[in-house]
Amino acid sequence: DLHTMSDQPNIVVFISDEHDPAVTGCYGDPLVRTPHLDRLAAEGVTFDNCYTASPLCVPARLAFTAGQYVSRCGAWNNTTMLPSDDYPSLPRALAAAGYQSFLCGKQHYDKSRRYGFTDLIPDLHSNNVTKRLNGGRREPTNTDTHHQGWLSRAAQFYPADHGGILDHDRTVTEHAVEFLRTRQRDDGPFFLFVGHLAPHFPLIVPQGYYDHYRGRVPMPDIPDGMIDNLPLNYKHLRYGFGLTDTDPDVVQKGRDLYWALTEWFDNEVGQVLDALRASPVAENTVVIYTSDHGENKGDHGLWWKNNMYDHAARIPLIAHYPQRWSGGQRRAEACGLLDLVQTIIDLADGEAPGTFDGDSLLPWLDDAGHAWKDMAVSEYYGHNVASGFTMIRQGRYKYVYHARMNEQFGPERELYDMQADPGEKHNLASTPGHEDIMARLHRAMVAEIGREPDDIEQQYRDDISRALAARD
């Protein structure tokens, strides 16, 4: 069927930073107030098990930009960029379909790179850093603790009207609102990327928001022995971020502030959605909400992200287009950020380059009974660990493979039955009777990313060595 240009919907994608979907009303949190995201879900389709391509800012965002797993586009850590500015990208695939792509907010791009986006806020600091590939790994036997890492971040847990996150995001909201207010129907189809920093730390939020949550957020549930049984890489996260000496009062305050900052962020989204509803382009605009990764907020004795537990690797995904999908629907099977990229191109009636990973969610959005693959893969090669690791979620199981660290250490595995153990408290990897499940999931993971994780880990090390040698 031939589409005319007017059939192509505008597409607005919100990607927040560090939002664990569990801290949203529509994902079941009884305390947090997120009326705008909840309304989006009530009028749209909510995905319960969507996963990021990497639980770290820059790799996740570059994977979204390139439509590829991080190991395929070299997005190893926060010091990377794509191989070239003209690398095949989502904005370029949309341009080929007749769209203009606008960047409004954080993507953590190098200042010399925009990958096909027109930047609405060119001087925004969050897209103006210089990327020089660097490592940041730990030796497997190193138990040195970076106490200052925790202390310096926890020192930025307090109520206030201004902070780097708040001021950045107010600017993003203002530019997104102005864009939607002035965009006309006959300006042609557009893709608007709205990138807020909240609810990422520093956890600074106006007092009125904090007051509602103060002392009310439940503390993390950490059974005796859990910390001792963490995979070695996750113990390194605790050493590297100084998390071995957190004080319960500070954990409570940080959690209260994170819930409060999530509510504050929801209000920013609400302002943009109000502007869209009042805009000439409202009728024909798809709205998608997601995040680059979650936030541990003390769960499993961890903070920030950098791991494959649901609180770090699972992301919200809500798709809203009442003209096509009726509201209040849920999709329970696993999907990933790269599936979203394919979906955006599919909605635009465009063509994804053959190098892109993922599968379009559109048939599944249109029909809840569609035979979906029920799979997501995520990779982490970032800092404060001794080796990279890869996760696959399929059906009721989540399997994580931690690559070999050296002759003595690794590989290490995790396996969770997400139906019986949604809190991921019981690693079944060394429990007899699960060998076949792990072997099957490992094969599926390798088939999806195209290589053994141990080989990818070696490529990461070679790339870092080359980058550092080039500097000497």
Side-chain angles (χ1 to χ4, degrees), residues 52-55 69-71 76 233-234 306-308 313 376-381 387-393 398-404 412-415 441-442 444-457:
T52 182
S54 184
Y69 289 111
V70 298
S71 61
W76 299 121
N233 272 324
Y234 296 173
N306 320 86
N307 67 73
M308 293 302 176
V377 171
S378 187
E379 303 170 287
Y380 182 83
Y381 288 92
S387 72
F389 40 89
T390 309
M391 179 277 286
I392 183 168
R393 172 72 200 270
K398 178 191 284 187
Y399 167 76
V400 186
Y401 180 86
H402 295 257
R404 190 175 291 288
E412 199 170 354
R413 295 172 175 84
E414 299 170 78
L415 180 70
L441 290 171
H442 192 92
M445 167 198 287
V446 171
E448 180 64 15
I449 52 178
R451 286 185 291 167
E452 283 286 348
D454 285 326
D455 297 337
I456 296 172
E457 169 68 12

Side-chain angles (χ1 to χ4, degrees), residues 16-337:
S16 60
D17 201 323
E18 203 144 316
H19 182 200
D20 175 1
V23 185
T24 324
C26 58
Y27 280 94
D29 187 277
L31 183 62
V32 75
R33 298 187 291 198
T34 50
H36 303 288
L37 292 174
D38 294 352
R39 177 178 170 184
L40 207 62
E43 297 173 357
V45 184
T46 304
F47 291 81
D48 290 323
N49 288 294
C50 185
Y51 289 87
T52 182
S54 184
L56 188 59
C57 303
V58 174
R61 290 162 184 278
L62 290 177
F64 177 82
T65 305
Q68 290 182 308
Y69 289 111
V70 298
S71 61
R72 295 194 59 215
C73 61
W76 299 121
N77 57 33
N78 278 344
T79 67
T80 47
M81 43 188 172
L82 295 177
S84 64
D85 189 42
D86 60 359
Y87 200 73
S89 69
L90 172 57
R92 292 209 169 82
L94 292 174
Y99 278 67
Q100 292 176 289
S101 292
F102 298 95
L103 174 63
C104 182
K106 171 187 169 160
Q107 272 290 53
H108 248 6
Y109 288 154
D110 179 90
K111 63 182 179 188
S112 68
R113 303 284 177 93
R114 289 298 179 266
Y115 305 114
F117 274 113
T118 299
D119 194 345
L120 296 184
I121 320 174
D123 57 350
L124 202 65
H125 64 81
S126 57
N127 292 316
N128 281 296
V129 278
T130 300
K131 304 286 184 187
R132 298 184 74 204
L133 183 58
N134 238 321
R137 290 289 187 80
R138 294 172 59 92
E139 287 300 318
T141 52
N142 176 16
T143 58
D144 293 348
T145 300
H146 180 45
H147 301 284
Q148 198 50 45
W150 167 253
L151 293 172
S152 63
R153 288 185 180 181
Q156 293 186 295
F157 290 5
Y158 57 83
D161 287 338
H162 290 277
I165 304 292
L166 302 176
D167 295 339
H168 173 282
D169 284 3
R170 288 175 180 130
T171 303
V172 171
T173 297
E174 182 189 326
H175 281 78
V177 165
E178 180 63 12
F179 175 88
L180 292 168
R181 194 181 65 76
T182 57
R183 187 76 180 182
Q184 299 304 315
R185 273 206 193 91
D186 52 10
D187 289 341
F190 67 85
F191 169 52
L192 177 65
F193 179 95
V194 185
H196 291 93
L197 274 171
H200 191 289
F201 63 85
L203 298 178
I204 299 168
V205 66
Q207 182 79 45
Y209 288 88
Y210 175 50
D211 288 344
H212 178 70
Y213 298 97
R214 191 171 187 169
R216 295 181 64 197
V217 175
M219 287 287 276
D221 171 32
I222 301 177
D224 288 346
M226 180 203 277
I227 302 292
D228 295 335
N229 290 317
L230 288 174
L232 183 53
N233 272 324
Y234 296 173
K235 289 178 177 171
H236 278 297
L237 291 173
R238 285 173 50 79
Y239 302 137
F241 288 119
L243 303 177
T244 52
D245 33 67
T246 58
D247 166 323
D249 291 342
V250 181
V251 169
Q252 178 73 61
K253 186 176 189 182
R255 285 171 70 87
D256 295 345
L257 286 161
Y258 180 81
W259 263 247
L261 187 55
T262 302
E263 179 183 339
W264 178 88
F265 161 71
D266 179 82
N267 189 52
E268 295 297 300
V269 172
Q271 292 175 55
V272 181
L273 292 176
D274 285 348
L276 175 60
R277 288 183 191 111
S279 122
V281 297
E283 276 308 291
N284 192 33
T285 299
V286 178
V287 176
I288 293 164
Y289 174 67
T290 188
S291 194
D292 54 1
H293 50 72
E295 159 65 70
N296 302 316
K297 44 189 199 309
D299 295 331
H300 287 93
L302 299 165
W303 279 81
W304 330 130
K305 49 271 183 181
N306 320 86
N307 67 73
M308 293 302 176
Y309 294 122
D310 266 16
H311 43 75
R314 188 172 74 123
I315 51 177
L317 179 58
I318 303 168
H320 178 278
Y321 192 34
Q323 294 84 325
R324 185 161 180 171
W325 312 310
S326 56
Q329 299 188 60
R330 311 290 293 208
R331 298 287 184 274
E333 293 171 283
C335 61
L337 189 61

